[in-house]
Amino acid sequence: MFIRISTRLPSTYIYGFGETEHPTFKIDLNWHTWGMFSRDQPPGYKMNSYGVHPYYMGLEEDGNAYGVFLLNSNAMDVTFQPTPALTYRTTGGILDFFVFLGPTPELVTQQYT
């Protein structure tokens, strides 16, 4: 089953989606798509890697932080849009979203870990 879910973001300050090679810490929201499917291959730009961490942290204009983690064992990708928005696409599975409310990046990270 193909599942797609989109959301608008409160700002352009988005960080995360580990185990993929990014040129900067801040995510480029200009229509980039990142595949997430674990493979036994060395890291490379826009290539699948050893693990998948579909987690991102957002910083709002007022300084508050939040984090979102999608727990899903199926292959997926995420597309970033300049609106700002993002779209998850997955080949099925259960969509377990975990939302971590800061208000600081440190507290968001503590809740995630």
Side-chain angles (χ1 to χ4, degrees), residues 97-109:
F97 282 95
F98 294 85
V99 179
F100 309 101
L101 304 177
T104 65
E106 293 83 7
L107 289 174
V108 171
T109 303

Side-chain angles (χ1 to χ4, degrees), residues 2-4 13 16 20 23 30 32 35 37-38 41 43 50 54 59 76 78 102 107 109-110 113:
F2 179 76
I3 301 171
R4 178 171 37 193
Y13 301 104
T20 56
N30 193 20
H32 285 280
F37 186 72
S38 295
Q41 70 182 29
Y50 296 113
L59 298 176
M76 69 177 93
V78 63
L107 289 174
T109 303
Q110 282 180 346
T113 57

